[in-house]
Amino acid sequence: MSSHQPQIPIIYMAAIGRFEEITGKNLNDPDLLRITTVDDLIKEVDKRNTKFTSFREKRHTLFDVLEGAMKPIELVGNLAAGAASMAFPPSSLVFGAAMYLIGAAKGTTACYDSIQALMVTLKDFTTRLSIYAREEISKELSEKLTEVLAALIEAFALSRKAIKEGRMLKFAKNVLLGNDDRVTEAVGKLANLTESEDRLVGADTLTEAKRTGRIVDGVSMTVRQTNVSVREMGMTVSHVDIGVTELNEKVTNIMLAMDESKAVAKEEKDKKHQDNVKKVLQPSVRAQDWYDKINKSRVPGTGDWVRDEGLFKSWVDKTFPVLWISGTPGAGKSYLSSNIITFLREQHPQSIQHPSHTSVAYYFFKDDNPKTRSFSQALRDIAYQICQNDPVYAKHVTTQCDSPAEIDSIESIWRCFFKGFFLQENGLDSSAYILFDGIDEAYDAERQTFLQLIKDLNEGIGRSGMQLVMVGRPHLTDVISDAYEAEVPTIHVTSVKNSDDIVHYIQNSIHKSAMLKRVPKELRAEIVDKLSSGAQGMFLWVDLMLKELMKKRTPASLRKSLQEAPKGISEMLRHVLEGFSLSLTDEDPGCLNELLAWATCARSPLKLGELDALLKLRSEDGEGMFYLEGMLRKQYASFFSLIREDGLSTADLQNPHEMPADSDGDQEAEEEGLDDIENTTDFHSNPSTTEVTLCHASIGDFFRDQTKGKVSAGDGYPMIGVNFDEAEVSVLKTCLSLFCDEKLAEKAKVSPSLMRYPTNNWQHHLRTADPAKASPTDRREIVGLLASMFRSELSMKSFAGNITWAFFVEDNVKMIRRWLDYPDIQDDLSTEDREWIRSTSEAPADTFLPLVRYVAQRWLQDIWWSPTACCWIVYAFINLQKGAPLSESPSGLITAQEVLDVAEWAQFEKTALWHRKLAIVFRDRAMYDDALAHFAKALEMDDTMSSARAGMAVLYVLKDEYEEAIRLDKINEEILQKILVAEPSRPQIKPELHLVQERLGRCHLFIRDKEAALERYLKALSSNGRCEDCICACLVLLTKRERHQDIVDILKGMEDEIPGQGYSRLTEFLWQNIYADALIFTILAHASLETKELTFLIGAYRSAIAAAKKELKMVIASSLELCLARLYYIYGRDQERAIHIWEKITKTFSGSKLETEMGYVKDYASVCLAGHWLRMALDTEKGSPLAQRCVDKLERLAKPKMQTAGPSSAFISTNTSSIILGSWYHLNKQPEDARACFQPHIREALQMLSDDDPENDGEGYFKLGLVFAAAGDDKNAIAIFQALGVWDKAQLDEPPSGENGAEASDSDDPDSDSDDESYDCDGPCHRTFRNLDSLALCRYCHDTGFCAECLPLVKAGRMPLNTCSPKHDWLVIPPLERPVGVGNLLVDGQVVGLDDWKKSVKREWGV
């Protein structure tokens, strides 16, 4: 070995010198010597030349040929290096020369083509070299190989010089086509050396072959000699066997020793390799510690919901590289991270021995330790975890750097270990799933640096081997998207998603607790119910509550603890506030504090529009906060929740692509759908209906605790939070200022709804704010505002209309006087205010005197205010002055004389208006004779006062004297029409005429003159084409006469656009009649079908849907979509479109609660779907695959999965579709399953009958009847439906109260059709009935019935509408045999009281 080692370095040094002589470039540069692999070479070339456009266009092909030519050089470089005689592999010299050559092209396309051709030529010479990496080579061949590499370096040098001098070269296979003799000579020399190397290899091969031949000859001779000696050795075979056995044992021992030696060597090698990795990365064990800790405490199944999320599945499948999981503090995000890690490790087992090159790495940031806040450390730990699984990656790490100093920045770590490996097209199958939990707890600066780097993943979509998921709090959502320069797919951790996990966690914790599991069963159930309902998605709150409960030893202390906030929640909230103090700048802290103050102090949830207006009031320029909704849903989501009327959450709105396609499936409809949201970050919630609340009750408790106050991150950082006393005073001042400050009131006009809150709640805030805790400045300001409120008519105008008689009590006098009489403030007031306070101090009730006089004036001298309400206010004040304030409504106390005395108290002139307004009070009190006298007096004083005559007409309607009412209104009509002709621009004449004509229509209905009624309603409609009552009345009257074309003509006449609104009168009318099961929809659908105008009506509904969505009226839009689906399904026989709409609604609004408006819409859609699938199952061959698919879909609708009981379990929901599922089970002899479906509905209906709300009793009884019919419990179903007809009649026969307490009573008549019909046939006749006698209710089509004439059409399959089926069964309700009286039922021929019947139902059904 020593004979040839010194010669090799000399050859290389000569090559280095020769290269520098030709090019002027030094190959012995340390930066170049680090390039030891082809990958290194490609990266460096790319880095140095990527600025050239032509390079970027050529680099893919260039890199391919470069790798083909240079890869053999990488493999043999060490062999030619002469082992340890050189400090660097010679391949680095070749790579450096190649890099200089490519760099000389300087963006010239022809040069790159020449270099590419050269590399193709050189590949023929270099390819054969790779074989030497497999075996040891001789010293002669090693020297020859060195000469080849040196020649290659010289060829690169000469080629570079030629390119620099502008001579474009073109190389073909083994032929040089060019005009540079020096390059030709160099390539020729390389060819000669390669041929010489080939001859040398041949000689070596011949020598080795001859030596092998001699050995074979020797072996052959030995075999012959052995064969001759076999006979001689026969006698000694046994001895040989013994010897062989001993020899085998020795060989075995030797082999074992060799294996052990190899294992030791490998272990030492692996340890050295691991030591190198650790030396470079300096990893910690904290990630593994946190994962083990969290996974150990995580209840099995917790977080499994994320595995079913569409976005998560797409991320796992590598559809996109980055996923963001957002959740509020304490929502269980780390549990979710633990679940994801476990899932990924199950999919991709992690160990060096496993063939998978897919790594799973993770890091948990924790801000309680500086070492767990560093992104630099996190990336090192991630890299180390990948090294433990992927040896190819581990080798990459060790070749990238030798010491931690070389990767001392986040950028360098990312570049070397992540971008340089996973984002390169290197042909490797290595990949990694990386999870960062709690990134909001990392250092801000380091996090921002890292986020700026991950946009490399966005640019490398399609070739990235790295999948990144980050978990943290929602205020980072926009920060991440901005850094990524694209919307990042986001999964939101919400209470809807983790509620089952929380219930399971509570149950598991109780079971593991030595104390709680011994608590009585009823109390355990109470704990589970209280904690699960109070959690609101917060795991931390539940955990802290459970820790407190585990300390209790008595039921009383347990129940008391359930009512209190847990210890530890305050520390968490202070920590969150400190984070905002660190991050918020400019005006943001003030805006956040204002939002928190209002959300904490508000008596009822504020609307989004109200908060926006309040911020605008606060700002000097009136601009407020840009994009408030986005701030609340993202940056401030740790504090706030936004509740839309349609129930859609931030998660639903931010990931609209997860929602089903919109509307009825065609292009036009999709343009009209929920896709109206053009930007996924613009939530487009309706500001007038979207409520803003604190996201958890404990947050409000924290801010209302006067010992907490605001929090700051330290000197120079803003205070964030709520000082409750200051906030109460501030809210009070704002409310009062909106009444008294003209400039502020003017600014408030931008949001008309803003005045709703102060007018309804100023008294509450005045009561809760303590003057002793207010600053002197605030006290003086509030007293001044109160003085203005109760002295200035301008201020009274803003709030007096919302005052009621109940305000005038002693407590409210004291509430106001404690501010007015507060010491040491009056000196700073105006002289007028000071004198007023002094003058009312001895008779405090007189504080209200100016206000009451103002109300009296509005009563008796103003045409708009409600006379009766004003009268009660004055009456209450008079009693307060007397020291006898009212404790109940004056309506049952006041006499006719007292009414007159109250009117005369104000001492106003008794004009015609005075008498008319007084007459209304008498009329509302059913003191008709006194009312008539004052109406007559008003007409006597002013015979043109049509409103007085109208008031008399209303009075006669109340007395059922309709003919007299008609006579008076005809006079009014004539007078008003003359005025309208003479003075067409006179205000209020046309509206007043409309009211008269509408009342005439009603009166004609009362006397059963329907033709005259229709004529009057049509006239009323001509004077006010937007009156819904008149339109509906006309439609009902026309449909009873089967004048279907007239109905369609009315609808078409309403297609004109309402000025300034952007939608038509027809759209407005459909918005007012949104229910698919209502009479108006049936009238419209039936008329369009009869006139073949179904296409017109479908278009009208679609236009109304699109307009509703544009106006952000999502409940209306979705309700109209139900109408549209019903049109398609029943009238248009287009089942596919109807099903599409129903499925879209049930999926889009799956989180909507049943008690909400959108919950009703969703439930109705699910009932329609369930009815369809049941009908399909019944109409299909029993047991067929199609029938089973239909039943499966029906079960999914009615039996949602519940994670708390295991992945295969389900529970029966109380959505109405489960009644339909129960019908299927009952029909298929599955009594237990059927009973499980029906029981929740029976229990719910019985609860409705037992609560304090009599208004819902009818709904409860009707629901019971439907359930019993579906369940085959005919005796109870018939009893209920028969009784409903009796009870409805009894209620309809009750006399009207005659009270409405408002000026509008002049125009409000009993709004009831004289037929009093409550039930309708679902057949083509569409007739309505007063009771259910002889109606046939389908047991399978929910809430569907037919009259005696239509039922045969269904049974014969001749139904013109697509409803019900001949294969169904019906329950016919027989007429009641004998009177039973209100409150009783006839059950199996026996009269039973309601209470006894309900008890028997509970027993029979086990509820």
Side-chain angles (χ1 to χ4, degrees):
M1 299 285 291
S2 60
S3 63
H4 73 281
Q5 291 298 337
Q7 181 63 24
I8 290 176
I10 293 173
I11 297 173
Y12 283 126
M13 293 309 295
I16 293 171
R18 176 67 174 151
F19 187 89
E20 186 171 0
E21 176 187 343
I22 296 170
T23 66
K25 297 290 184 179
N26 181 16
L27 285 181
N28 205 10
D29 186 337
D31 289 335
L32 297 180
L33 298 180
R34 290 200 185 99
I35 304 175
T36 59
T37 67
V38 176
D39 286 345
D40 294 343
L41 173 60
I42 290 174
K43 290 175 190 175
E44 192 65 27
V45 168
D46 189 48
K47 176 181 176 182
R48 298 192 182 199
N49 295 274
T50 190
K51 60 185 178 181
F52 299 117
T53 303
S54 57
F55 172 79
R56 293 195 299 271
E57 294 172 350
K58 293 280 187 179
R59 63 180 169 185
H60 182 75
T61 307
L62 181 62
F63 286 167
D64 282 346
V65 297
L66 182 64
E67 183 174 19
M70 296 293 101
K71 197 66 177 179
I73 305 301
E74 176 185 332
L75 297 174
V76 302
N78 289 326
L79 296 175
S85 62
M86 293 183 66
F88 53 85
S91 57
S92 296
L93 301 178
V94 178
F95 294 158
M99 190 189 70
Y100 279 134
L101 170 61
I102 296 172
K106 295 289 185 182
T108 304
T109 302
C111 291
Y112 292 129
D113 291 339
S114 298
I115 294 170
Q116 182 176 327
L118 175 63
M119 293 300 171
V120 171
T121 300
L122 295 179
K123 183 179 178 181
D124 292 338
F125 302 140
T126 60
T127 299
R128 62 180 285 109
L129 304 181
S130 60
I131 197 171
Y132 300 137
R134 302 175 189 172
E135 301 289 343
E136 292 186 6
I137 61 176
S138 66
K139 63 179 182 179
E140 293 81 7
L141 189 55
S142 178
E143 288 180 355
K144 186 59 65 178
L145 186 56
T146 300
E147 292 177 7
V148 169
L149 296 184
L152 186 60
I153 292 171
E154 184 176 0
F156 282 158
L158 292 170
S159 298
R160 181 182 187 278
K161 184 176 182 182
I163 287 176
K164 291 290 285 183
E165 293 174 354
R167 294 188 292 275
M168 300 299 101
L169 308 177
K170 180 179 180 182
F171 297 92
K173 186 174 183 179
N174 291 326
V175 179
L176 177 61
L177 300 177
N179 58 359
D180 193 302
D181 295 337
R182 290 172 297 174
V183 176
T184 304
E185 181 182 350
V187 176
K189 179 181 178 181
L190 180 62
N192 292 334
L193 285 170
T194 307
E195 292 174 2
S196 175
E197 168 264 342
D198 181 46
R199 291 193 295 272
L200 184 57
V201 169
D204 282 352
T205 303
L206 179 61
T207 302
E208 189 65 25
K210 290 180 178 180
R211 183 166 54 250
T212 303
R214 289 193 297 271
I215 293 172
V216 170
D217 291 342
V219 170
S220 177
M221 181 62 71
T222 302
V223 168
R224 287 195 297 269
Q225 292 174 352
T226 303
N227 186 43
V228 171
S229 303
V230 166
R231 294 184 183 88
E232 298 175 359
M233 296 174 64
M235 300 301 294
T236 61
V237 166
S238 59
H239 298 291
V240 172
D241 286 342
I242 294 173
V244 168
T245 300
E246 292 176 352
L247 180 61
N248 285 338
E249 289 177 354
K250 290 180 180 180
V251 170
T252 300
N253 290 336
I254 291 171
M255 293 180 66
L256 288 173
M258 290 177 64
D259 289 342
E260 183 177 351
S261 176
K262 289 180 180 179
V264 170
K266 185 177 184 305
E267 183 177 347
E268 290 178 353
K269 181 180 179 181
D270 290 344
K271 184 176 184 303
K272 183 177 180 181
H273 181 71
Q274 287 293 321
D275 288 344
N276 288 338
V277 171
K278 286 184 176 181
K279 175 186 174 184
V280 171
L281 296 177
Q282 296 184 321
S284 71
V285 296
R286 298 182 187 90
Q288 183 69 45
D289 291 345
W290 273 107
Y291 170 67
D292 292 342
K293 178 181 178 181
I294 295 169
N295 216 32
K296 184 178 180 180
S297 62
R298 180 171 64 89
V299 176
T302 297
D304 279 356
W305 59 265
V306 77
R307 305 181 184 186
D308 295 324
E309 290 279 309
L311 285 176
F312 180 75
K313 291 179 178 179
S314 296
W315 176 79
V316 171
D317 292 340
K318 302 184 179 181
T319 305
F320 50 83
V322 181
L323 178 65
W324 166 234
I325 298 179
S326 166
T328 55
K333 299 185 294 296
S334 293
Y335 285 142
L336 193 63
S337 296
S338 166
N339 184 297
I340 292 172
I341 296 167
T342 301
F343 170 77
L344 292 173
R345 288 166 68 95
E346 290 170 355
Q347 301 297 309
H348 308 284
Q350 301 293 288
S351 70
I352 294 295
Q353 288 74 33
H354 195 275
S356 171
H357 283 172
T358 299
S359 303
V360 178
Y362 50 87
Y363 193 83
F364 292 84
F365 289 97
K366 300 295 175 184
D367 63 0
D368 56 354
N369 184 337
K371 295 182 179 179
T372 54
R373 299 188 67 186
S374 169
F375 249 104
S376 175
Q377 186 62 56
L379 290 172
R380 292 170 185 268
D381 283 9
I382 292 289
Y384 183 71
Q385 292 172 44
I386 299 173
C387 286
Q388 299 296 98
N389 179 70
D390 189 342
V392 176
Y393 180 80
K395 180 180 178 181
H396 171 80
V397 168
T398 55
T399 59
Q400 286 298 301
C401 62
D402 298 322
S403 71
E406 297 178 39
I407 48 169
D408 58 355
S409 68
I410 295 173
E411 292 90 340
S412 60
I413 299 173
W414 176 260
R415 182 177 61 254
C416 292
F417 300 150
F418 297 96
K419 180 179 180 181
F421 185 81
F422 292 110
L423 302 185
Q424 300 297 323
E425 295 180 357
N426 50 25
L428 300 175
D429 62 351
S430 297
S431 63
Y433 289 94
I434 298 172
L435 181 145
F436 289 116
D437 177 81
I439 67 168
D440 50 281
E441 300 190 44
Y443 288 119
D444 289 347
E446 291 194 9
R447 180 180 60 240
Q448 193 60 37
T449 299
F450 173 75
L451 293 177
Q452 292 294 330
L453 296 172
I454 65 170
K455 63 185 175 184
D456 292 338
L457 296 174
N458 188 25
E459 296 169 356
I461 291 178
R463 57 185 175 87
S464 171
M466 178 166 49
Q467 294 295 107
L468 174 66
V469 57
M470 297 175 287
V471 184
R473 294 174 184 171
H475 67 273
L476 293 178
T477 300
D478 279 350
V479 175
I480 293 171
S481 293
D482 289 346
Y484 193 60
E485 297 182 357
E487 285 290 332
V488 177
T490 303
I491 294 175
H492 296 262
V493 184
T494 67
S495 58
V496 174
K497 295 176 180 177
N498 70 5
S499 57
D500 287 343
D501 287 345
I502 288 176
V503 172
H504 199 183
Y505 179 76
I506 296 167
Q507 293 170 336
N508 187 270
S509 299
I510 292 174
H511 178 73
K512 292 193 301 183
S513 169
M515 194 281 293
L516 291 180
K517 67 181 179 182
R518 292 180 171 83
V519 167
K521 181 179 179 180
E522 295 77 9
L523 185 52
R524 288 203 307 272
E526 184 180 342
I527 292 172
V528 173
D529 181 66
K530 194 75 176 179
L531 294 186
S532 59
S533 61
Q536 296 175 268
M538 189 183 289
F539 261 98
L540 178 61
W541 181 85
V542 170
D543 187 55
L544 294 172
M545 285 292 291
L546 285 167
K547 289 178 180 177
E548 293 296 317
L549 294 175
M550 290 175 187
K551 301 175 185 176
K552 309 304 176 184
R553 293 296 179 267
T554 65
S557 62
L558 271 172
R559 288 191 170 94
K560 181 181 178 183
S561 186
L562 284 172
Q563 306 300 322
E564 299 172 347
K567 296 177 181 178
I569 206 74
S570 296
E571 287 73 12
M572 184 269 287
L573 290 173
R574 290 184 67 85
H575 180 68
V576 173
L577 291 170
E578 285 179 3
F580 278 102
S581 177
L582 280 169
S583 61
L584 294 181
T585 58
D586 300 327
E587 296 181 354
D588 288 349
C591 289
L592 176 57
N593 287 340
E594 186 81 0
L595 292 168
L596 290 173
W598 277 95
T600 300
C601 299
R603 188 182 183 190
S604 59
L606 289 162
K607 300 294 190 290
L608 176 62
E610 292 173 334
L611 277 177
D612 187 44
L614 287 167
L615 290 182
K616 289 177 180 176
L617 292 180
R618 177 182 177 276
S619 64
E620 294 182 4
D621 56 9
E623 294 296 328
M625 176 180 285
F626 176 71
Y627 190 35
L628 175 60
E629 182 176 8
M631 296 292 288
L632 293 171
R633 289 190 181 275
K634 294 180 180 179
Q635 285 87 338
Y636 300 157
S638 296
F639 297 117
F640 299 101
S641 289
L642 280 76
I643 304 169
R644 289 167 46 122
E645 61 176 348
D646 58 14
L648 293 180
S649 66
T650 300
D652 299 326
L653 297 168
Q654 198 163 6
N655 298 317
H657 51 277
E658 290 196 315
M659 297 183 191
D662 193 41
S663 199
D664 49 289
D666 61 14
Q667 181 63 35
E668 180 183 351
E670 296 202 3
E671 292 173 358
E672 299 165 357
L674 287 172
D675 323 339
D676 290 341
I677 301 174
E678 297 176 358
N679 188 325
T680 54
T681 61
D682 292 338
F683 298 101
H684 293 290
S685 298
N686 189 330
S688 62
T689 60
T690 301
E691 292 183 346
V692 181
T693 65
L694 294 172
C695 62
H696 196 273
S698 62
I699 298 176
D701 294 338
F702 173 83
F703 287 137
R704 283 186 285 272
D705 187 339
Q706 299 174 359
T707 65
K708 298 294 189 279
K710 298 181 179 180
V711 177
S712 171
D715 293 340
Y717 292 99
M719 301 291 291
I720 304 295
V722 177
N723 182 308
F724 186 64
D725 290 330
E726 291 179 2
E728 280 276 33
V729 170
S730 176
V731 169
L732 173 61
K733 284 198 305 179
T734 301
C735 289
L736 303 186
S737 296
L738 284 168
F739 302 146
C740 306
D741 187 330
E742 292 185 47
K743 293 182 179 179
L744 198 65
E746 187 66 27
K747 290 176 70 175
K749 288 182 180 178
V750 298
S751 178
S753 63
L754 177 60
M755 294 302 295
R756 176 195 66 87
Y757 185 84
T759 52
N760 291 332
N761 296 285
W762 68 269
Q763 298 173 45
H764 165 76
H765 292 294
L766 189 63
R767 187 174 294 110
T768 56
D770 187 350
K773 295 180 180 179
S775 69
T777 302
D778 287 337
R779 277 197 299 269
R780 286 193 296 270
E781 187 175 349
I782 290 173
V783 170
L785 291 169
L786 288 172
S788 176
M789 282 179 62
F790 290 99
R791 290 183 60 247
S792 167
E793 288 192 4
L794 187 62
S795 299
M796 294 175 190
K797 182 179 178 180
S798 301
F799 75 94
N802 289 77
I803 295 289
T804 69
W805 65 268
F807 175 74
F808 297 93
V809 294
E810 290 285 355
D811 285 347
N812 285 342
V813 175
K814 293 176 181 178
M815 171 185 72
I816 294 171
R817 295 303 304 193
R818 70 170 181 158
W819 287 89
L820 299 180
D821 297 332
Y822 199 86
D824 304 328
I825 63 168
Q826 295 188 15
D827 292 342
D828 298 309
L829 301 176
S830 68
T831 304
E832 294 80 4
D833 289 346
R834 192 164 54 246
E835 177 57 28
W836 173 72
I837 292 173
R838 185 199 61 76
S839 65
T840 56
S841 60
E842 294 184 3
D846 287 349
T847 304
F848 299 146
L849 181 59
L851 173 64
V852 176
R853 289 192 62 83
Y854 176 79
V855 171
Q857 184 181 20
R858 300 284 76 75
W859 166 23
L860 298 166
Q861 295 185 331
D862 190 293
I863 64 173
W864 299 115
W865 283 46
S866 165
T868 302
C870 292
C871 177
W872 292 171
I873 287 174
V874 178
Y875 182 66
F877 173 72
I878 293 172
N879 281 272
L880 176 64
Q881 280 186 315
K882 294 177 180 178
L886 300 179
S887 59
E888 56 181 295
S889 172
S891 59
L893 304 174
I894 196 168
T895 65
Q897 183 58 48
E898 286 175 319
V899 171
L900 184 59
D901 291 342
V902 170
E904 292 177 338
W905 171 86
Q907 299 180 350
F908 295 130
E909 180 184 358
K910 296 179 180 180
T911 63
L913 179 60
W914 187 94
H915 283 286
R916 185 177 76 83
K917 300 295 288 290
L918 178 58
I920 294 172
V921 178
F922 283 124
R923 188 190 63 198
D924 290 347
R925 289 290 300 117
M927 300 172 180
Y928 296 138
D929 292 339
D930 295 286
L932 282 172
H934 283 281
F935 278 130
K937 185 65 175 177
L939 287 171
E940 178 187 328
M941 298 176 72
D942 181 3
D943 62 355
T944 65
M945 185 178 278
S946 58
S947 57
R949 193 175 290 104
M952 294 178 73
V954 172
L955 186 150
Y956 282 114
V957 171
L958 294 173
K959 294 178 68 177
D960 296 335
E961 297 180 20
Y962 304 112
E963 297 287 356
E964 181 61 19
I966 290 172
R967 185 189 68 81
L968 291 170
D969 272 333
K970 282 184 176 180
I971 297 172
N972 266 347
E973 183 182 31
E974 184 179 353
I975 293 172
L976 292 170
Q977 285 176 335
K978 289 181 180 179
I979 296 174
L980 191 60
V981 171
E983 303 177 62
S985 60
R986 182 172 168 179
Q988 297 305 319
I989 296 301
K990 200 168 184 178
E992 192 173 347
L993 176 61
H994 168 77
L995 294 175
V996 169
Q997 292 169 333
E998 182 183 1
R999 188 162 52 245
L1000 281 168
R1002 291 174 184 266
C1003 288
H1004 283 294
L1005 275 182
F1006 281 129
I1007 63 175
R1008 301 297 193 267
D1009 188 351
K1010 295 184 179 180
E1011 288 297 333
L1014 177 59
E1015 179 185 352
R1016 291 297 180 178
Y1017 275 121
L1018 288 171
K1019 281 187 176 182
L1021 193 56
S1022 67
S1023 59
N1024 182 3
R1026 296 174 65 182
C1027 177
E1028 181 206 357
D1029 289 341
C1030 290
I1031 298 171
C1032 290
C1034 290
L1035 297 180
V1036 170
L1037 290 168
L1038 288 170
T1039 198
K1040 287 178 182 288
R1041 287 150 187 77
E1042 298 187 358
R1043 292 170 57 179
H1044 305 301
Q1045 188 59 54
D1046 289 339
I1047 292 174
V1048 173
D1049 289 343
I1050 287 177
L1051 298 180
K1052 289 187 174 182
M1054 297 165 61
E1055 289 187 290
D1056 57 303
E1057 184 174 306
I1058 302 171
Q1061 296 298 325
Y1063 50 82
S1064 68
R1065 289 190 293 132
L1066 179 55
T1067 286
E1068 181 183 59
F1069 177 70
L1070 294 179
W1071 287 1
Q1072 295 163 339
N1073 295 272
I1074 60 176
Y1075 298 110
D1077 56 355
L1079 176 62
I1080 292 300
F1081 170 80
T1082 302
I1083 290 173
L1084 301 184
H1086 185 54
S1088 67
L1089 186 65
E1090 291 294 323
T1091 58
K1092 296 181 171 51
E1093 292 282 5
L1094 195 60
T1095 301
F1096 158 73
L1097 188 61
I1098 287 173
Y1101 270 102
R1102 288 176 56 177
S1103 296
I1105 291 167
K1109 289 176 178 177
K1110 185 177 180 180
E1111 295 292 320
L1112 305 179
K1113 300 177 183 292
M1114 300 310 298
V1115 171
I1116 290 177
S1118 298
S1119 299
L1120 291 178
E1121 284 183 317
L1122 291 180
C1123 296
L1124 184 61
R1126 190 170 175 86
L1127 277 178
Y1128 284 138
Y1129 193 88
I1130 293 179
Y1131 297 90
R1133 294 184 178 272
D1134 190 344
Q1135 295 185 9
E1136 185 178 345
R1137 285 190 170 186
I1139 292 168
H1140 177 82
I1141 293 173
W1142 292 331
E1143 288 182 337
K1144 186 212 73 169
I1145 290 174
T1146 55
K1147 292 175 182 178
T1148 301
F1149 305 110
S1150 59
S1152 298
K1153 297 179 180 178
L1154 283 175
E1155 63 269 18
T1156 64
E1157 289 184 88
M1158 191 56 79
Y1160 167 80
V1161 172
K1162 179 191 69 174
D1163 188 58
Y1164 188 94
S1166 69
V1167 168
C1168 293
L1169 271 178
H1172 170 75
W1173 298 130
L1174 176 61
R1175 181 178 174 182
M1176 291 288 291
L1178 292 174
D1179 290 350
T1180 306
E1181 182 182 354
K1182 188 174 181 180
S1184 67
L1186 177 58
Q1188 187 57 49
R1189 285 197 299 272
C1190 293
V1191 174
D1192 291 342
K1193 291 181 177 181
L1194 175 57
E1195 289 183 326
R1196 282 197 294 272
L1197 275 172
K1199 298 171 66 175
K1201 293 290 182 183
M1202 186 170 69
Q1203 296 173 0
T1204 53
S1208 62
S1209 66
F1211 69 98
I1212 301 297
S1213 68
T1214 54
N1215 67 55
T1216 313
S1217 59
S1218 58
I1219 299 176
I1220 298 173
L1221 177 62
S1223 302
W1224 169 262
Y1225 288 148
H1226 176 71
L1227 182 65
N1228 284 272
K1229 312 301 182 187
Q1230 297 173 249
E1232 293 303 318
D1233 291 331
R1235 193 176 184 86
C1237 288
F1238 296 134
Q1239 278 179 326
H1241 296 280
I1242 295 173
R1243 183 181 298 109
E1244 182 183 53
L1246 290 173
Q1247 289 172 350
M1248 293 170 69
L1249 302 180
S1250 303
D1251 61 23
D1252 297 330
D1253 181 11
E1255 297 294 326
N1256 64 6
D1257 287 357
E1259 180 186 351
Y1261 285 121
F1262 194 74
K1263 182 171 186 175
L1264 277 176
L1266 294 176
V1267 173
F1268 291 145
D1273 187 351
D1274 291 357
K1275 66 171 184 178
N1276 282 318
I1278 292 172
I1280 277 289
F1281 288 131
Q1282 287 178 334
L1284 278 175
V1286 175
W1287 300 341
D1288 287 342
K1289 183 178 185 303
Q1291 293 172 356
L1292 290 167
D1293 288 342
E1294 290 180 1
S1297 64
E1299 294 184 36
N1300 53 30
E1303 170 70 8
S1305 59
D1306 280 357
S1307 59
D1308 288 348
D1309 295 322
D1311 185 13
S1312 173
D1313 189 274
S1314 57
D1315 290 335
D1316 298 330
E1317 295 160 348
S1318 303
Y1319 306 99
D1320 59 326
C1321 173
D1322 291 299
C1325 74
H1326 295 301
R1327 285 187 294 172
T1328 55
F1329 304 89
R1330 187 163 186 169
N1331 55 47
L1332 289 162
D1333 290 355
S1334 301
L1335 282 176
L1337 299 178
C1338 181
R1339 298 184 188 275
Y1340 310 132
C1341 299
H1342 182 73
D1343 195 10
T1344 300
F1346 304 95
C1347 67
E1349 287 77 14
C1350 291
L1351 182 60
L1353 295 176
V1354 182
K1355 290 183 175 181
R1358 294 186 290 108
M1359 174 66 71
L1361 305 178
N1362 184 26
T1363 183
C1364 208
S1365 168
K1367 296 184 178 181
H1368 291 189
D1369 186 25
W1370 301 268
L1371 172 66
V1372 179
I1373 309 301
L1376 196 61
E1377 297 174 357
R1378 62 179 189 271
V1380 295
V1382 176
N1384 295 318
L1385 300 91
L1386 189 66
V1387 184
D1388 269 353
Q1390 301 294 318
V1391 177
V1392 180
L1394 267 177
D1395 290 338
D1396 292 337
W1397 176 79
K1398 285 188 284 188
K1399 291 177 183 176
S1400 68
V1401 168
K1402 290 180 180 179
R1403 286 194 303 271
E1404 290 174 22
W1405 284 92
V1407 295

